[in-house]
Amino acid sequence: MLRVLLLTLSVVAIAHAELCEPDAQNAFKVRLSIKTALGDNAYAWDANEEYLFKAMVAFAMRRYSSKSTTQISNVLLCNVTDRVSFWFVVTDSSKNVTTVPGSEVEAAIRMNRNRINSAFLLSDKTLQFLKITSTLSPPVEPSTPVWLIVFGVVLCLIVVGIVFLIFAGIQQRKKKNKKSTERENLEEKDEVTVTVENGIPCEVLDLKAGHINGVFAADDERFTSL
Amino acid sequence: LPVPPEVPKEDGRPKWDNKFQYILSCIGFAVGLGNVWRFPYLCQIHGGGAFLIPYFIALLFEGIPLLHLELALGQCLRKGSIGAWNTISPYLAGVGVGSWMVSVLVSLYYNTVLTWVMWYFINSFQEPLPWSVCPLNENRTGLNKECYESTAVNYFWYRKTLNITPDVTESGTLQWWLILCLATCWAIVYLCTIRGIETTGKAIYVTAIFPYLVITIFLIHGLTLPGATDGLAYLFTPNLNTLKNPRVWLDAATQIFFSLSLAFGGLIAFSSYNPPKNDCEKDAVTVAIVNSVTSLYASIPVFSVLGFKATTGYWDCLDRNIISIINEFDLPEESIMRQNYTPWISFLNSSYPEKIAGLKLKSCNLQEFLDQSVSGTGLAFIVFTQAIILMPGSQAWAILFFIMLFSLGLSSMFGNIEGVFTPLLELQIISKSIPKELLSGIICLICFLIALCFTLGSGSYWIDIFDSYAGSLPLLVIAFFEVIGVAYVYKINRFSKDVKWMTGRKPNLYWQITWKFVSPLLLLIVFVAFVTLQIQKPPSYAAWNPKYEGFPMKEEKVYPPWVLAICVLLAVLPCLFVPLVALFHLIKRMRRSKDPSFVPPEMFSCQGTK
């Protein structure tokens, strides 16, 4: 009796060993980079973590195929290295000693990748399932591109500046025109240049002093009226 | 009462608010993008610190004399380039027209470079920076192919900014985002130059001083980055053997010449607004020295950042190799670090040579990363942007960097536009009743419409053409005729007397010798060497072609004949004006000399027209 039991157990063990092997059919290699992801908070990879991994894979299979037949014991791990990399297969207990097809396992893992990653505090890059590609997240696109907003702000400022300067220029020119017509009325007819006294034009002196120069005022009658 | 000579004549010419504004404008004109992205490159490829020797010799014998000449000329004659040369001698008016033409051509493409800077600036306000990540391809299975094969930074520059075509003959379409930025840049230029130096004089306080602030900030930050000392050591370690190569001396002479923005007519325009009694000798020496010191000062942060980038690239290379080895041999993480990489690799190579060979590891060499030298737009938009991504707080650094580039370029644009604007104001063609605002608006609008060509897909190829042909050779020719014109047509003694009247002391032997002999000779040698080097090989360009087998390397292509014709036209047209105008005046004089009532015009003198 005991011998039969031992024989069956060893057959099962050998079968299991054959099922889970590097590059076996339907087997996947997993690679973890815990120190890279967590630095000082890195945990050590031990049998408890392996148990959690088996549980997560079983959970993924259950969620995917929605039949609650996958047990933790169905997930086999082997060839665990110091790198923290290993191979795993999922066996099917309903059909004796065969493995679940790789495509199903792949689809199950893909569907629950986020959950598996967060169980180990890792990401797609640090918990790698070789041969299972991860879907890339779409980039975040704001409704209006940001650069258009900045561009709008800059353009508005410039246009305001230009309009302000043009109006200031027009006003300055109007003031200058008024001043030059006043100056023409004060000058004598035959002199074209402004008389300078000590380097200051005379009418500036006039306006500064606030009184009319007697010489000019007295000669008003000499001008022919326009 | 006659006006005593000390009182400045009221000739209605605008003037600078103060001397500082004038000096700052000249410095801003001289200090431009080339100080940041061409000088450090030249230092790097020509033996580091050793390059400073030919550079300072060229400064002493070519840069400072020519600068003094132009400033003195403008100050004495008080006219823009065309009017000034017309006054010296009507036969030399072509020199003025030539430099006016060059200013126009350079203004066109220079502002397009500023357009690119502005585009990067307004894109720096995002997280993450758009040039740091590759976009996904259409069916979202992977990254965009072109981006994946080159780098994200290259992709953003060549595809998202320029949308470059694979060939200069394929024009592509107008890129609407570049048109928007171009319009903005020309609007900014219009805003600042709307009333000539009245407005640029105010704007220059910001655009000339701000870059120095940013360079200092980058200097302090750059020196704290890892690998900065490697970059600086690489830059400044002198290799005196390079001085035997005549190419180095040619590069030094051309760099000094173009860096000081000589022969554009802008410096003549600036100094023409000065009071006549102004020490132009001191101004010239000041501007030249500040320009050179700025080049040196700017190369320090540039090389700290390049050293940082090289070190980071080297570390990335090592890390990638380490990961491959660890994954292949299933070794625990952090067993191989960067420090013990070499002993590990030699141990593994001796024990498992086939496995190591199968990994196809890249050889990581820091020197190789440092050797990747880039100048020009490649430095700013590819190399520097990549380095900025690696710094914490990238957005702030990017914004600072691009505002600095924009200010540097804008202050140079002021000089270019002034070189176009001032001669037009004095030409009899323009009626005096047209307000300045309208004239500057028309100039900016016309330049904007012509510069739309540079926003095509092939625009950046055309800008390279303009830069190599319009912005180089004609300037040498014009400067040569400038010196010859002043030294031998106007006569050096007369000029020395004018300078003595303006500055109060006669120019000493150094100025006399350089103006009469050394500078013209140097210019002639540089011109001949430049042309010889250009002719030696057929002009080619590097095209960005995603379908090329060697992609992401650029494809070397030769210019087709019609493009070559345009290159020659750009180089020759401004120079042609010199003999053409001289010929025109000769014919006019021969016709007029038959007329007995003709009186020759009076001799002009700086001390005031009689």
Side-chain angles (χ1 to χ4, degrees):
Chain A
M1 179 66 191
L2 200 62
R3 231 182 289 149
V4 173
L5 201 63
L6 270 171
L7 204 62
T8 352
L9 271 172
S10 55
V11 167
V12 170
I14 293 169
H16 274 200
E18 277 167 5
L19 284 175
C20 178
E21 251 181 7
D23 297 318
Q25 201 191 29
N26 303 328
F28 291 92
K29 182 165 184 184
V30 181
R31 189 187 287 149
L32 289 92
S33 312
I34 306 172
K35 283 204 192 127
T36 317
L38 301 169
D40 286 332
N41 300 330
Y43 49 81
W45 186 260
D46 52 15
N48 297 330
E49 306 286 342
E50 285 182 22
Y51 192 80
L52 177 60
F53 183 79
K54 290 185 195 175
M56 291 308 294
V57 173
F59 162 74
M61 293 303 301
R62 282 185 178 213
R63 256 187 112 209
Y64 174 70
S65 52
S66 31
K67 50 177 187 215
S68 338
T69 51
T70 323
Q71 304 290 329
I72 290 183
S73 50
N74 285 119
V75 183
L76 304 172
L77 263 61
C78 52
N79 276 64
V80 184
T81 65
D82 282 338
R83 170 71 180 83
V84 195
S85 67
F86 48 84
W87 290 82
F88 78 94
V89 280
V90 184
T91 57
D92 197 343
S93 32
S94 54
K95 311 181 183 128
N96 38 351
V97 213
T98 51
T99 51
V100 176
S103 49
E104 271 187 50
V105 179
E106 183 173 333
I109 303 272
R110 250 226 189 98
M111 193 177 103
N112 299 287
R113 192 63 188 269
N114 263 354
R115 302 291 296 270
I116 303 177
N117 284 350
S118 16
F120 290 97
L121 307 172
L122 298 172
S123 67
D124 275 3
K125 269 178 129 170
T126 40
L127 172 54
Q128 291 169 301
F129 288 84
L130 306 183
K131 287 195 283 172
I132 301 181
T133 52
S134 43
T135 43
L136 298 158
S137 54
V140 176
E141 288 267 346
S143 48
T144 26
V146 177
W147 69 265
L148 260 175
I149 300 174
V150 180
F151 171 77
V153 169
V154 169
L155 196 62
C156 282
L157 286 171
I158 296 166
V159 169
V160 164
I162 292 177
V163 166
F164 170 71
L165 278 177
I166 291 183
F167 272 119
I170 294 177
Q171 274 192 351
Q172 216 177 46
R173 203 160 294 117
K174 275 202 202 135
K175 232 193 297 183
K176 218 181 353 173
N177 278 339
K178 222 169 58 171
K179 208 166 106 176
S180 68
T181 43
E182 280 177 16
R183 193 209 281 177
E184 273 173 23
N185 293 337
L186 291 173
E187 274 178 6
E188 292 192 317
K189 267 301 195 205
D190 40 346
E191 271 187 36
V192 187
T193 53
V194 178
T195 28
V196 172
E197 182 151 3
N198 289 334
I200 308 167
C202 278
E203 80 272 15
V204 175
L205 284 173
D206 268 355
L207 294 168
K208 276 197 178 143
H211 64 271
I212 310 233
N213 192 322
V215 177
F216 283 71
D219 281 340
D220 245 359
E221 295 86 44
R222 277 211 300 151
F223 298 157
T224 39
S225 48
L226 289 158
Chain B
L1 280 169
V3 177
E6 283 80 33
V7 176
K9 291 191 287 273
E10 293 282 334
D11 54 2
R13 196 174 177 75
K15 42 189 207 295
W16 300 104
D17 290 343
N18 49 52
K19 174 94 183 262
F20 185 58
Q21 225 177 51
Y22 160 66
I23 295 280
L24 218 54
S25 296
C26 291
I27 291 177
F29 184 30
V31 171
L33 297 167
N35 293 64
V36 168
W37 70 33
R38 181 132 174 95
F39 177 79
Y41 163 75
L42 287 175
C43 254
Q44 183 190 6
I45 61 169
H46 288 319
F51 180 70
L52 294 177
I53 298 177
Y55 184 73
F56 277 110
I57 293 180
L59 178 70
L60 211 57
F61 292 112
E62 192 194 342
I64 298 184
L66 283 170
L67 188 61
H68 185 199
L69 189 96
E70 286 212 3
L71 291 181
L73 205 68
Q75 200 175 288
C76 168
L77 301 170
R78 315 203 79 219
K79 291 215 177 85
S81 56
I82 301 182
W85 288 104
N86 205 15
T87 316
I88 293 226
S89 159
Y91 297 105
L92 283 176
V95 176
V97 178
S99 53
W100 181 85
M101 178 107 248
V102 172
S103 282
V104 170
L105 291 172
V106 171
S107 301
L108 288 176
Y109 78 79
Y110 205 81
N111 219 14
T112 315
V113 177
L114 287 186
T115 307
W116 299 335
V117 175
M118 161 147 287
W119 166 251
Y120 268 77
F121 166 71
I122 59 181
N123 269 296
S124 306
F125 287 88
Q126 309 174 31
E127 165 66 34
L129 289 171
W131 55 82
S132 60
V133 284
C134 270
L136 302 175
N137 56 18
E138 285 92 35
N139 41 9
R140 301 238 200 101
T141 53
L143 301 171
N144 179 301
K145 181 159 177 280
E146 187 182 347
C147 186
Y148 180 70
E149 285 174 9
S150 57
T151 61
V153 183
N154 275 323
Y155 177 76
F156 187 73
W157 169 238
Y158 287 109
R159 191 54 50 212
K160 286 290 193 205
T161 307
L162 300 174
N163 202 8
I164 206 165
T165 54
D167 197 282
V168 71
T169 50
E170 286 175 46
S171 301
T173 53
L174 290 170
Q175 318 303 328
W176 61 271
W177 57 90
L178 284 182
I179 296 181
L180 286 180
C181 292
L182 186 71
T184 316
C185 284
W186 277 111
I188 295 179
V189 169
Y190 179 52
L191 175 71
C192 296
T193 59
I194 194 166
R195 283 205 277 273
I197 61 163
E198 279 174 55
T199 39
T200 59
K202 313 282 189 304
I204 203 76
Y205 285 119
V206 174
T207 59
I209 297 184
F210 184 70
Y212 286 97
L213 280 174
V214 177
I215 293 178
T216 311
I217 296 176
F218 263 98
L219 183 91
I220 300 174
H221 178 74
L223 288 173
T224 62
L225 292 168
T229 37
D230 288 314
L232 285 174
Y234 186 69
L235 167 71
F236 285 120
T237 315
N239 176 14
L240 290 163
N241 285 325
T242 52
L243 293 181
K244 298 190 196 125
N245 180 6
R247 190 70 207 263
V248 176
W249 295 86
L250 176 67
D251 276 341
T254 47
Q255 170 62 16
I256 263 293
F257 184 78
F258 299 133
S259 177
L260 284 171
S261 308
L262 298 165
F264 277 91
L267 288 167
I268 297 182
F270 279 156
S271 58
S272 72
Y273 296 116
N274 266 341
K277 290 258 186 187
N278 176 48
D279 194 343
C280 48
E281 181 181 344
K282 209 158 59 154
D283 297 341
V285 176
T286 311
V287 171
I289 291 184
V290 169
N291 179 52
S292 297
V293 167
T294 308
S295 293
L296 276 170
Y297 189 58
S299 54
I300 301 178
V302 167
F303 265 89
S304 312
V305 172
L306 287 179
F308 163 68
K309 181 176 175 297
T311 306
T312 323
Y314 172 64
W315 285 349
D316 276 343
C317 179
L318 277 182
D319 285 344
R320 258 178 281 133
N321 285 357
I322 290 175
I323 290 278
S324 312
I325 296 176
I326 288 184
N327 287 349
E328 176 68 19
F329 290 94
D330 282 322
L331 300 165
E333 285 180 281
E334 294 182 4
S335 52
I336 308 182
M337 302 292 286
R338 292 183 199 135
Q339 296 89 315
N340 53 9
Y341 173 75
T342 348
W344 262 106
I345 196 85
S346 43
F347 163 68
L348 287 171
N349 221 354
S350 50
S351 347
Y352 310 96
E354 328 78 40
K355 265 194 169 183
I356 293 285
L359 283 176
K360 294 203 187 53
L361 298 173
K362 269 178 133 169
S363 71
C364 299
N365 185 359
L366 181 61
Q367 201 58 30
E368 212 179 280
F369 283 99
L370 284 171
D371 275 336
Q372 292 167 356
S373 52
V374 203
S375 81
T377 50
L379 178 71
F381 299 117
I382 298 181
V383 172
F384 229 77
T385 43
Q386 197 157 28
I388 284 179
I389 303 174
L390 303 164
M391 300 180 196
S394 334
Q395 279 80 9
W397 295 113
I399 292 171
L400 267 180
F401 179 64
F402 290 116
I403 294 190
M404 173 194 81
L405 283 186
F406 195 77
S407 312
L408 281 174
L410 195 63
S411 50
S412 299
M413 269 306 284
F414 293 160
N416 280 324
I417 292 287
E418 214 41 60
V420 175
F421 196 46
T422 306
L424 280 181
L425 279 177
E426 293 151 6
L427 230 48
Q428 269 84 354
I429 310 173
I430 313 283
S431 135
K432 291 280 181 266
S433 61
I434 293 186
K436 270 196 223 162
E437 287 92 335
L438 191 62
L439 185 63
S440 51
I442 292 174
I443 292 176
C444 288
L445 187 66
I446 294 178
C447 287
F448 165 66
L449 291 173
I450 300 179
L452 282 176
C453 307
F454 294 123
T455 59
L456 290 167
S458 53
S460 86
Y461 299 133
W462 285 107
I463 288 190
D464 281 332
I465 291 176
F466 267 69
D467 195 26
S468 319
Y469 294 98
S472 59
L473 205 73
L475 292 171
L476 289 169
V477 172
I478 290 170
F480 178 71
F481 280 109
E482 279 190 3
V483 183
I484 296 288
V486 168
Y488 297 102
V489 176
Y490 191 72
K491 297 284 191 305
I492 204 79
N493 289 328
R494 224 171 117 198
F495 190 65
S496 305
K497 281 208 201 85
D498 290 335
V499 175
K500 180 169 180 210
W501 183 78
M502 288 193 292
T503 62
R505 51 183 188 283
K506 190 167 166 34
N508 56 30
L509 201 63
Y510 160 69
W511 300 111
Q512 309 273 354
I513 294 183
T514 47
W515 283 335
K516 261 199 123 151
F517 306 113
V518 180
S519 296
L521 192 66
L522 261 179
L523 279 173
L524 197 64
I525 296 175
V526 169
F527 173 72
V528 169
F530 199 81
V531 171
T532 325
L533 273 167
Q534 289 277 20
I535 294 180
Q536 263 175 7
K537 50 178 175 62
S540 64
Y541 65 105
W544 180 263
N545 186 5
K547 299 207 179 59
Y548 177 53
E549 312 91 48
F551 188 75
M553 301 299 290
K554 289 188 166 180
E555 190 181 353
E556 283 288 323
K557 288 191 176 172
V558 184
Y559 288 125
W562 65 273
V563 175
L564 270 177
I566 294 184
C567 298
V568 171
L569 190 72
L570 282 173
V572 163
L573 191 65
C575 314
L576 263 185
F577 279 108
V578 178
L580 276 181
V581 174
L583 203 67
F584 171 72
H585 274 285
L586 193 68
I587 296 176
K588 212 161 84 167
R589 188 188 176 174
M590 285 201 307
R591 273 212 216 126
R592 221 192 275 169
S593 63
K594 297 182 188 141
D595 176 9
S597 63
F598 170 67
V599 178
E602 290 171 14
M603 290 278 275
F604 175 82
S605 168
C606 220
Q607 282 98 327
T609 39
K610 304 284 184 291

